[in-house]
C-alpha cells in the first residue's frame, strides 16, 4: 500500500489540529483535578460501553462494568475467564448481557495493555497487531498463540489477498513507526488502512481502533494513560460510519474512494474533539459531587485515608475495604475507619460481605456515572433520528 497517496484538505487538517489542541488542554486539566488519578478506568468503561454499541444495539450498565474491570485486574487477575464468569460476572449482569459484558471487558483489557506498553519509542510490529487481536478475542488471560491472519478471500474479493496480508501489515507498521502525519491524522490513516487490508476474520473495527489509539498513546496525546471516550461518537450514525469503513475496501483510484476517505478523516477528527469535551464534562460533574461531599461536616486531614477515599469512590462506586486500602496505599485499619466515617456521613453504604470482605457502595457516584452514560446514549439516539443529511456531523455533548 502506498501511504504517500494519503492526502487531506486544509479544512480536514484544521480539524486534526483542533482535536489535538483539545487533547493537550485536557491533559493540562488532568494535572489540576485532585480526583482525576482514579478516573482512568471510569473513562475507559464509558468508552467501552460505546465501543460495544457500535456493533450491538445495547447500552451496557456502566457501573457493573467498572467493578468487573477492577475485579479482573485484582481479585481475578490470575483466574481464567470462566472462573470470573462463575464467581462474579454472572451475578452482576443479566444472562442475555453476559457475553457482551465479556466483550467490553476484553476491550478494556486491550486498551489497558496498550496504555501500559506504549511509549514514544515503542516500535509497533506484526506481533503487536496479532497480540491486540488476541486480547480482544480472549482477554488478557488468553493462550498467547497470537491467532493468525485470515487464510481465505472475503466476499467479492474485497480486502487484501490473504497471501499478501503479512507484507501489507509490515508496510503499515513501518508507516506507524515513521510518524509522517500529525497524531490524529496518523491515527485516521492507520485505521483506514487497516480496514482496507481486513487482516482478520473478526473484530476488525475494534482491532483497528486499538491500533489507531496505540499511535495516539505513542505520540503522547493521551496524557498519563487517559483514554477519552472516542467510541461514543463512533457509535453514532452507525450506518453512515459503516459506509465510510466499507468504502476503504473499494478501488483506491475511484472518485468515491477518495471522497469517503476525506469524509472518514473529518468524521474521526470531529469525533476526537467531541470526545475530549465529553471527558471534561464528566470530570466537571465528578468535581461538583466531590465539593458537595467535602462541604459536609467531615474532618479530612490532607493525604489521609478519608481524603483519598472521597476521591476514589467518585470513580469506583463499589469497593471492598481490602481493595480500597490497596488502591489508596493505606492500612486496612485506617481505611476501615475512614469507611465508617463515610457511612455515618451518608456517602456510602455497607451492602454485603463478600467472603470475609466488607463491601461498600456509593449510590451517589453510581447515579452520576449512570446518568452521564444514559444522557450520552439519548443524545446519540436523538442525533440519529434528527440527522437527515447523513453527513456524519457529531452533535454537541449533553
Amino acid at each position: 500500500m502506498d501511504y504517500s497517496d494519503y492526502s487531506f484538505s486544509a479544512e480536514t487538517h484544521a480539524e486534526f489540529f483542533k482535536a489535538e489542541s483539545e487533547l493537550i488542554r485536557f491533559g493540562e486539566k488532568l494535572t489540576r483535578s485532585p480526583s482525576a488519578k482514579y478516573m482512568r478506568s471510569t473513562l475507559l468503561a464509558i468508552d467501552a460501553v460505546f465501543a460495544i454499541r457500535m456493533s450491538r444495539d445495547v447500552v451496557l450498565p456502566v457501573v457493573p462494568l467498572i467493578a468487573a474491570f477492577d475485579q479482573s485486574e485484582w481479585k481475578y487477575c490470575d483466574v481464567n475467564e470462566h472462573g470470573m464468569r462463575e464467581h462474579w460476572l454472572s451475578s452482576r449482569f443479566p444472562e442475555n448481557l453476559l457475553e457482551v459484558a465479556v466483550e467490553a471487558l476484553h476491550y478494556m483489557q486491550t486498551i489497558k495493555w496498550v496504555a501500559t506498553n506504549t511509549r514514544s519509542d515503542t516500535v509497533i510490529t506484526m506481533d503487536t497487531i496479532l497480540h491486540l487481536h488476541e486480547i480482544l478475542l480472549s482477554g488478557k488471560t488468553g493462550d498467547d498463540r497470537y491467532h493468525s491472519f485470515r487464510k481465505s478471500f472475503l466476499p467479492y474479493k474485497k480486502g487484501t489477498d490473504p497471501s499478501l496480508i503479512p507484507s501489507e501489515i509490515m508496510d503499515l507498521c513501518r508507516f506507524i513507526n515513521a510518524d509522517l502525519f500529525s497524531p490524529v491524522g496518523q491515527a485516521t490513516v492507520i485505521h483506514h488502512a487497516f480496514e482496507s487490508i481486513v487482516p482478520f476474520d473478526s473484530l476488525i473495527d475494534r482491532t483497528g481502533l486499538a491500533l489507531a489509539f496505540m499511535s495516539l498513546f505513542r505520540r503522547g496525546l493521551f496524557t498519563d494513560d487517559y483514554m477519552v471516550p472516542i467510541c461514543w461518537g463512533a457509535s453514532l450514525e452507525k450506518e453512515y460510519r459503516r459506509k465510510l469503513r466499507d468504502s476503504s475496501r473499494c478501488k483506491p483510484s475511484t472518485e468515491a474512494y477518495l471522497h469517503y476517505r476525506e469524509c472518514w478523516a473529518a468524521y474521526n477528527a470531529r469525533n476526537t474533539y467531541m470526545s475530549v469535551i465529553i471527558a471534561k464534562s464528566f470530570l466537571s460533574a465528578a468535581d461538583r459531587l466531590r465539593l458537595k461531599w467535602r462541604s459536609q461536616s467531615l474532618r479530612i486531614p490532607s493525604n489521609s485515608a478519608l481524603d483519598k477515599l472521597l476521591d476514589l469512590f467518585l470513580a469506583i462506586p463499589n469497593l471492598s475495604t481490602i481493595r480500597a486500602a490497596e488502591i489508596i496505599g493505606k492500612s486496612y485499619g485506617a481505611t476501615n475507619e475512614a469507611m465508617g466515617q463515610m457511612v455515618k456521613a451518608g456517602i456510602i453504604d455497607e451492602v454485603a460481605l463478600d467472603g470475609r470482605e466488607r463491601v461498600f457502595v456509593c449510590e451517589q457516584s453510581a447515579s452520576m456515572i449512570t446518568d452521564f452514560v444514559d444522557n450520552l446514549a439519548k443524545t446519540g439516539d436523538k442525533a440519529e433520528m434528527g440527522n437527515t443529511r447523513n453527513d456524519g456531523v457529531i452533535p454537541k455533548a449533553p
Side-chain angles (χ1 to χ4, degrees), residues 259-298:
H259 169 74
Y260 285 122
R261 188 174 72 182
E262 185 82 28
C263 291
W264 170 261
Y267 178 88
N268 285 333
R270 290 193 299 268
N271 180 25
T272 302
Y273 171 82
M274 284 307 305
S275 71
V276 185
I277 303 300
I278 290 166
K280 284 183 176 179
S281 65
F282 177 73
L283 291 183
S284 295
D287 284 342
R288 288 192 293 272
L289 184 55
R290 181 179 189 272
L291 289 174
K292 174 188 171 183
W293 289 350
R294 289 169 182 268
S295 66
Q296 297 176 213
S297 55
L298 284 170

Side-chain angles (χ1 to χ4, degrees), residues 38 70 74 305 308-309 312-313 319-331 335-336 339 360:
Y38 298 120
D70 182 63
W74 173 59
K308 292 176 177 293
L309 284 177
L312 178 58
F313 270 100
L319 284 163
S320 67
T321 305
I322 191 171
R323 175 56 173 157
E326 180 180 297
I327 294 174
I328 65 175
K330 298 293 182 180
S331 69
T335 303
N336 195 47
M339 292 279 206
F360 297 84

Side-chain angles (χ1 to χ4, degrees), residues 29-232:
K29 179 179 175 64
L30 290 175
T31 63
R32 300 192 298 270
S33 174
S35 59
K37 63 182 176 180
Y38 298 120
M39 289 290 182
R40 292 182 185 88
S41 297
T42 312
L43 285 171
L44 178 54
I46 293 171
D47 187 60
V49 167
F50 293 101
I52 294 299
R53 195 173 187 240
M54 282 193 291
S55 57
R56 296 178 179 269
D57 190 21
V58 63
V59 178
L60 276 171
V62 65
V63 172
L65 184 59
I66 294 168
F69 183 67
D70 182 63
Q71 293 285 306
S72 72
E73 294 292 300
W74 173 59
K75 190 171 183 180
Y76 297 100
C77 62
D78 296 320
V79 178
N80 62 29
E81 181 187 293
H82 178 72
M84 187 177 180
R85 287 197 203 198
E86 285 196 349
H87 290 90
W88 207 92
L89 286 176
S90 58
S91 62
R92 267 67 176 187
F93 293 94
E95 186 176 352
N96 65 315
L97 292 181
L98 188 56
E99 293 298 327
V100 184
V102 170
E103 285 185 32
L105 196 59
H106 289 172
Y107 174 82
M108 294 178 71
Q109 290 170 340
T110 303
I111 301 302
K112 176 70 179 293
W113 184 88
V114 166
T116 302
N117 291 278
T118 308
R119 295 295 177 263
S120 60
D121 59 350
T122 297
V123 176
I124 296 172
T125 67
M126 186 186 302
D127 280 346
T128 306
I129 295 173
L130 288 165
H131 193 54
L132 288 177
H133 190 246
E134 172 72 15
I135 304 173
L136 284 165
L137 280 173
S138 307
K140 66 177 183 177
T141 55
D143 55 23
D144 289 330
R145 285 184 296 164
Y146 295 8
H147 296 279
S148 61
F149 301 123
R150 63 177 167 85
K151 304 296 185 185
S152 58
F153 281 95
L154 295 173
Y156 309 109
K157 297 293 181 72
K158 289 188 175 182
T160 296
D161 180 323
S163 66
L164 300 177
I165 288 175
S167 62
E168 291 278 7
I169 290 295
M170 289 177 67
D171 287 344
L172 177 57
C173 290
R174 280 191 284 269
F175 170 76
I176 296 170
N177 295 323
D179 297 341
L180 299 176
F181 280 68
S182 67
V184 172
Q186 185 106 357
T188 291
V189 174
I190 290 166
H191 197 181
H192 188 270
F194 191 85
E195 288 287 346
S196 177
I197 298 168
V198 200
F200 300 107
D201 291 314
S202 62
L203 295 176
I204 302 300
D205 197 3
R206 282 180 219 162
T207 310
L209 277 170
L211 186 61
F213 295 158
M214 195 168 192
S215 177
L216 292 177
F217 277 107
R218 188 174 177 272
R219 302 287 292 273
L221 282 190
F222 288 150
T223 302
D224 201 19
D225 298 343
Y226 274 85
M227 175 72 199
V228 294
I230 288 178
C231 288
W232 169 73

Side-chain angles (χ1 to χ4, degrees), residues 326-368:
E326 180 180 297
I327 294 174
I328 65 175
K330 298 293 182 180
S331 69
Y332 182 93
T335 303
N336 195 47
E337 182 180 347
M339 292 279 206
Q341 291 176 267
M342 292 177 70
V343 169
K344 288 180 182 178
I347 296 172
I348 61 175
D349 296 299
E350 184 174 347
V351 295
L353 287 175
D354 182 5
R356 295 183 178 180
E357 300 170 23
R358 300 177 70 192
V359 178
F360 297 84
V361 167
C362 180
E363 294 293 347
Q364 294 178 59
S365 63
S367 295
M368 175 196 71

